[in-house]
Amino acid sequence: MYPYLPFRYKTQDAESTLAKEIQMGLAQGPVGLIYFDIVHFSQVEQEYGREVSEKILSSIEQHLDRLSKRFPFVLHSFRALGDDFYIFVQLHPASHESLEEMLKNKTQVLYTHLVTSLEKEFPFLRERIELHLSLVIMTKKDGQSTEIILYDAIKQALQRAKESYHSDLHTIHQKEFQEILLNQKIGTLFQPIISLSTGTPLGFEALTRGPEGSYFHSPLNLFQFAEWENSLYTLEKIARERAIQKGAPLIHATQKLFINMNSHVIYDPMFTPGHTLLRVEEAGLTPRNIVFEITERNAIEDFDAFKKAIAHYRNQGFLIAVDDAGAGYASLQAILELKPDYIKVDRSLIQNIEQNKVKENMLESFVNFALKMNSKVIAEGIETPAELERVIRLGVHYGQGFFLARPHDPPHACASEALEIIDRNRRVINLSLSRMRVGEITSSAKSFLAAMPTALVAEYFQQVRGEQGVVILKDGKVFGLVMKSKLNQILATQYGSALYARQPIEKITDTDALIVDQNIPIDAVAQLAISRPSEQIYDLIIVRDEDQLKGVVSVEAILDYLAHVKVEMVRLSNPLTGLPGNQVIDKMLSNRLQSEIPFSLIYADLDYFKWYNDQYGFQRGDQVIRYLSQLLMEVVSLKGNDSDFIGHIGGDDFLLITSLEKGVPIAQELIRLFDEQIKGFYDSFDETEKVIYDREGNAVPYTGLTLSLGVLQISNPGGLTTEHLSFISAKVKKEAKQLSGSAYAVYTYPEQESGSTQGTLPLAGE
């Protein structure tokens, strides 16, 4: 067969069918070819996600398949590759219309039908899609086969669509673009950037859109056209000012507004540093609220010049993010040269990361690299629960994507399903964070007596440039705090120096400074710190040991420490459940033994889990293990303490550390809930026919998955080692597994080391 299609169309049978239908149509008269594709369909995918874009294409294809039944003049229609679509219609020369008019009219009918159908199915697409469209009339010619006529028509349709777009449309777009600049007809959407440890917004990225329903609604079209027209700086200036104006009311004291900046802007002759600072201050924000997101899709041509421009913003207090990391656009050189505050990892690296070990290793490298550079990593394009789970476990600080929240004005809150995943991982991490005390990261502090003249304190700040603040003491106790920046502001006023220089420093001391005890958990101090009024948010925190000054700690030091610990916790966690693994478990057990405080240890193990895995498969088995991990956390939150610890030893083995008196109540509740809920993991169940064999080869009646718990009550940890503890754990777990059904065995150390007590609960329904 003549290769008439300029692409591979499904199968040779399909090609043959198409040729026969066109041949039959040409025998009756001219045949019209309608070709269309969607302009920049990749942007539809970028804005709405790959799943939605595939649904759109599939829907169009299904509508095309039904056209011939609804419209008898349709001979054939199909989707070729990507978003290329073809419709062949029968034309009737006996009509009073010309062939061209007839084809245009039929095209309009089909176009209206398709668009109306799509709008009903996808309401958000209204006026959002622009088509490449071309029409070709085919007639039967002597000496030419149907295949050649068809082949020439398709080539002509493709060429006409391309030429039409690049000539007529460019003129139309040029006029529309100038009107956008003249009347500043742009919109701004905001997409949250979510903390993957707390579920709260770090801030929002401002996303520019052109007029609704126009070609320039797509940001790619808008900014690309601006570059072609040498108007990029003008457009970015309008977009930046609009983002600040609309974003300011959304931003709290510590939150950030991310604003895109094309790296080519600084080479524009109209580039005037300093203008943005004025707009930020007019909006009631500070430079610390603004993050310039360097869009590096065009390579930075002159790093020295670019670094000077960025340094100007940095000196004013603005923050910097490098976008598209991992996508091949933002080079390692850009990150090394700019040393950004945030590294935004491109969606291409996040997509299906849970299925790709290479992507996991790359992202983990970014996280470790960012820690050493004192940067934070933001994962872009998170679209599925699995992607979110994996980036959290790899220690990524922040996330952005459709699964969390879509761009909108005003911004949407983070989706509840995403918050549940974040909260589950937070509870796991907080089991360890709650033990870390602020005294561990406290630095020594310079102190002055309240009677000290203000001028001497100011002189101290001038001599010791790195000092942020000093503590003021009165009557041997902490009186308050003086921050360098605030002291300078007071003395810099017209009469400030004359009024206060000789006055005692207590006159301008902040007596409402945050003062905490050294034994308060670090995460609790962080919450207190960020809850302060905006003018105090970055003030030092005073730490005391009873009534005596121990030192000070900054908000930045607390947040950096927590971020590092959380990354380490996630890195050392079990990849299936997210719970801490053996390395963290060993450390927690050692800490408990060294504290010599009584505690209970619960060793949890599933019975007949291998049988379940063999029967239902590893995927269902993994679901059961995740369920057990969530059940442990749920019961601890209801029956346990804030300081309890849960670890995943491996497979179906878990370990829980709680207070001495909580061990048995937690074990009882675990077994009760487990037996109530576990049968939901079976497709069907027949207790009478199930028999399995134990390790000794003995037949054991199988009544379903059961839970065995070994409860160790350690009333006196003194002298006990982790090795001995492991030995006792194995012993009591074995006793529990010898009991029928879900059960727990209790072993007390050291009072009843020679024996044990046992407790059981019946299976649900007995």
Side-chain angles (χ1 to χ4, degrees):
M1 178 180 290
Y2 187 91
Y4 57 85
L5 292 181
F7 48 76
R8 181 170 178 80
Y9 169 58
K10 298 179 181 177
T11 65
Q12 288 187 350
D13 289 341
E15 291 182 11
S16 177
T17 300
L18 173 61
K20 290 178 181 177
E21 289 176 344
I22 300 304
Q23 184 176 10
M24 292 172 61
L26 289 173
Q28 299 180 44
V31 173
L33 166 58
I34 305 168
Y35 161 81
F36 69 91
D37 72 348
I38 302 171
V39 177
H40 293 302
F41 187 68
S42 60
Q43 292 309 300
V44 176
E45 180 179 357
Q46 182 177 337
E47 187 164 354
Y48 295 105
R50 58 185 179 276
E51 291 185 11
V52 171
S53 62
E54 283 299 325
K55 286 181 181 178
I56 293 170
L57 293 177
S58 178
S59 176
I60 297 175
E61 192 169 9
Q62 290 172 15
H63 285 303
L64 290 181
D65 289 341
R66 295 192 290 265
L67 281 182
S68 59
K69 294 181 180 179
R70 183 178 179 86
F71 302 98
F73 58 81
V74 174
L75 298 174
H76 193 89
S77 56
F78 65 91
R79 170 188 170 192
L81 296 174
D83 62 328
D84 287 352
F85 299 92
Y86 297 83
I87 304 173
F88 298 88
V89 298
Q90 185 73 65
L91 303 177
H92 302 285
S95 171
H96 66 279
E97 297 176 301
S98 68
L99 292 177
E100 289 78 7
E101 289 176 340
M102 187 182 304
L103 181 54
K104 287 180 181 179
N105 290 336
K106 292 184 184 299
T107 301
Q108 184 62 45
V109 170
L110 296 175
Y111 178 85
T112 302
H113 169 73
L114 289 172
V115 169
T116 302
S117 300
L118 281 175
E119 287 180 350
K120 287 181 180 178
E121 192 171 354
F122 307 99
F124 56 85
L125 286 179
R126 287 177 182 159
E127 300 181 355
R128 300 297 296 276
I129 289 183
E130 181 183 8
L131 301 179
H132 287 135
L133 186 67
S134 64
L135 312 177
V136 176
I137 297 173
M138 295 181 288
T139 57
K140 188 172 178 61
K141 299 177 183 178
D142 294 337
Q144 280 192 338
S145 67
T146 302
E147 288 84 355
I148 293 177
I149 295 172
L150 185 55
Y151 178 78
D152 290 341
I154 290 175
K155 285 180 62 178
Q156 189 177 356
L158 292 170
Q159 185 63 30
R160 283 185 181 179
K162 183 177 180 181
E163 290 174 354
S164 172
Y165 177 72
H166 285 291
S167 57
D168 300 338
L169 283 183
H170 185 82
T171 303
I172 297 171
H173 289 160
Q174 202 169 35
K175 181 179 179 181
E176 184 183 358
F177 178 75
Q178 292 304 320
E179 186 180 350
I180 289 172
L181 294 185
L182 182 63
N183 299 310
Q184 299 190 5
K185 295 170 59 176
I186 63 169
T188 306
L189 305 180
F190 298 92
Q191 186 173 30
I193 297 172
I194 302 297
S195 167
L196 299 185
S197 59
T198 66
T200 57
L202 165 70
F204 307 92
E205 181 180 356
L207 300 167
T208 301
R209 298 289 185 268
E212 188 78 23
S214 75
Y215 168 76
F216 291 112
H217 184 77
S218 161
L220 180 62
N221 295 345
L222 181 63
F223 284 94
Q224 190 175 68
F225 201 89
E227 280 199 85
W228 292 341
E229 297 294 306
N230 295 318
S231 299
L232 183 60
Y233 174 74
T234 304
L235 176 62
E236 287 221 349
K237 181 173 176 289
I238 295 171
R240 188 158 55 246
E241 291 180 358
R242 184 66 55 82
I244 293 169
Q245 177 189 9
K246 294 187 66 176
L250 307 173
I251 302 299
H252 301 311
T254 60
Q255 288 183 321
K256 315 296 180 187
L257 181 63
F258 285 71
I259 300 175
N260 286 283
M261 175 189 285
N262 190 297
S263 60
H264 283 184
V265 164
I266 68 163
Y267 305 117
D268 195 296
M270 296 176 63
F271 180 72
T272 52
H275 180 83
T276 302
L277 178 60
L278 180 62
R279 294 290 175 262
V280 168
E281 292 174 343
E282 288 175 349
L285 300 177
T286 71
R288 299 289 298 179
N289 294 123
I290 305 298
V291 182
F292 287 116
E293 192 171 314
I294 309 302
T295 303
E296 225 251 317
R297 293 192 178 271
N298 300 103
I300 297 174
E301 299 166 0
D302 185 345
F303 266 106
D304 290 336
F306 192 78
K307 283 167 63 179
K308 288 179 182 178
I310 293 301
H312 172 80
Y313 283 108
R314 272 222 161 101
N315 291 337
Q316 292 178 332
F318 292 100
L319 304 176
I320 301 298
V322 167
D323 197 10
D324 307 320
Y329 300 104
S331 64
L332 183 60
Q333 183 185 7
I335 297 174
L336 291 172
E337 294 277 1
L338 300 179
K339 297 180 175 61
D341 302 280
Y342 299 94
I343 299 172
K344 299 194 75 175
V345 177
D346 190 77
R347 171 175 169 259
S348 62
L349 188 58
I350 305 304
Q351 184 177 350
N352 298 324
I353 189 170
E354 76 282 0
Q355 304 172 20
N356 191 317
K357 197 64 181 176
V358 174
K359 287 185 177 183
E360 280 193 30
N361 293 336
M362 286 184 65
L363 184 56
E364 188 174 21
S365 297
F366 270 118
V367 172
N368 293 332
F369 181 59
L371 275 174
K372 295 175 182 178
M373 290 185 62
N374 199 28
S375 299
K376 301 293 187 295
V377 173
I378 301 172
E380 294 187 292
I382 300 173
E383 294 190 3
T384 67
E387 290 171 355
L388 177 59
E389 287 272 11
R390 193 53 52 94
V391 299
I392 291 175
R393 291 174 188 167
L394 290 172
V396 174
H397 307 94
Y398 303 100
Q400 184 178 0
F402 290 164
F403 182 66
L404 299 170
R406 291 178 178 273
H408 198 261
D409 178 30
H412 286 312
C414 186
S416 58
E417 186 180 356
L419 286 176
E420 288 174 7
I421 293 172
I422 294 170
D423 185 60
R424 183 171 69 247
N425 284 274
R426 177 177 64 217
R427 280 183 284 165
V428 170
I429 293 171
N430 285 347
L431 292 171
S432 295
L433 290 181
S434 61
R435 291 176 176 76
M436 301 173 188
R437 310 299 171 181
V438 71
E440 300 176 30
I441 60 170
T442 298
S443 303
S444 60
K446 178 66 177 178
S447 61
F448 289 94
L449 297 178
M452 180 70 66
T454 298
L456 293 181
V457 178
E459 184 179 341
Y460 169 78
F461 280 131
Q462 289 178 353
Q463 294 174 351
V464 185
R465 295 191 175 183
E467 197 74 83
Q468 296 182 53
V470 295
V471 179
I472 307 303
L473 305 177
K474 188 174 184 178
D475 300 329
K477 298 181 180 180
V478 174
F479 179 68
L481 177 74
V482 173
M483 293 295 293
K484 176 181 178 179
S485 58
K486 295 179 181 178
L487 176 60
N488 289 342
Q489 288 176 5
I490 292 172
L491 297 180
T493 60
Q494 185 174 1
Y495 302 107
S497 182
L499 288 173
Y500 295 106
R502 296 184 181 181
Q503 293 291 321
I505 191 66
E506 70 174 305
K507 294 287 186 182
I508 57 173
T509 297
D510 179 9
T511 56
D512 291 327
L514 179 57
I515 305 173
V516 299
D517 186 83
Q518 65 171 346
N519 293 316
I520 293 181
I522 295 176
D523 56 336
V525 177
Q527 291 299 320
L528 291 172
I530 64 176
S531 299
R532 294 181 291 181
S534 58
E535 63 271 12
Q536 291 181 305
I537 204 75
Y538 291 109
D539 287 0
L540 294 173
I541 300 155
I542 300 173
V543 182
R544 64 186 176 191
D545 181 1
E546 296 183 349
D547 289 335
Q548 301 300 310
L549 173 67
K550 180 175 178 63
V552 294
V553 63
S554 68
V555 173
E556 289 85 351
I558 288 177
L559 297 180
D560 287 346
Y561 182 81
L562 289 178
H564 177 74
V565 169
K566 289 174 182 178
V567 168
E568 283 300 299
M569 284 293 299
V570 172
R571 188 176 66 83
L572 298 174
S573 66
N574 185 284
L576 179 59
T577 61
L579 289 169
N582 290 323
Q583 193 170 336
V584 181
I585 291 172
D586 290 342
K587 182 179 179 180
M588 290 301 168
L589 286 175
S590 296
N591 291 344
R592 284 284 182 156
L593 294 176
Q594 291 171 11
S595 71
E596 299 188 357
I597 299 174
F599 67 95
S600 286
L601 185 151
I602 301 176
Y603 197 119
D605 182 22
L606 289 171
D607 304 314
Y608 313 125
F609 180 69
K610 184 179 183 303
W611 185 94
Y612 183 91
N613 246 352
D614 293 341
Q615 189 78 2
Y616 289 99
F618 289 106
Q619 189 172 11
R620 292 279 292 274
D622 287 349
Q623 290 176 6
V624 170
I625 290 176
R626 280 194 291 266
Y627 157 73
L628 180 55
S629 72
Q630 292 164 12
L631 179 64
L632 288 165
M633 288 188 285
E634 177 186 340
V635 172
V636 165
S637 66
L638 293 173
K639 297 283 187 179
N641 310 295
D642 291 339
S643 59
D644 289 352
F645 172 82
I646 305 170
H648 188 172
I649 298 169
D652 59 325
D653 291 348
F654 295 84
L655 181 140
L656 190 157
I657 304 174
T658 185
S659 58
L660 186 65
E661 72 280 2
K662 298 280 189 178
V664 171
I666 286 177
Q668 291 174 338
E669 185 70 1
L670 280 170
I671 289 176
R672 184 183 73 81
L673 291 176
F674 181 87
D675 285 343
E676 280 182 5
Q677 300 169 4
I678 192 60
K679 289 188 177 180
F681 288 88
Y682 303 114
D683 293 337
S684 60
F685 195 70
D686 184 354
E687 297 180 11
T688 61
E689 297 182 3
K690 304 295 184 184
V691 175
I692 64 172
Y693 295 90
D694 61 19
R695 293 175 182 174
E696 286 74 30
N698 301 314
V700 180
Y702 176 65
T703 56
L705 284 170
T706 55
L707 179 64
S708 292
L709 303 175
V711 183
L712 279 71
Q713 295 182 322
I714 313 296
S715 59
N716 182 11
L720 190 60
T721 65
T722 54
E723 291 79 7
H724 192 190
L725 195 61
S726 177
F727 172 77
I728 301 173
S729 300
K731 181 178 179 181
V732 70
K733 185 187 77 166
K734 184 176 180 180
E735 289 192 32
K737 292 182 79 67
Q738 291 174 350
L739 301 170
S740 62
S742 294
Y744 67 92
V746 181
Y747 192 103
T748 303
Y749 177 90
E751 285 83 358
Q752 298 182 15
E753 190 172 355
S754 60
S756 68
T757 60
Q758 299 167 356
T760 64
L761 289 177
L763 287 172
E766 289 188 352

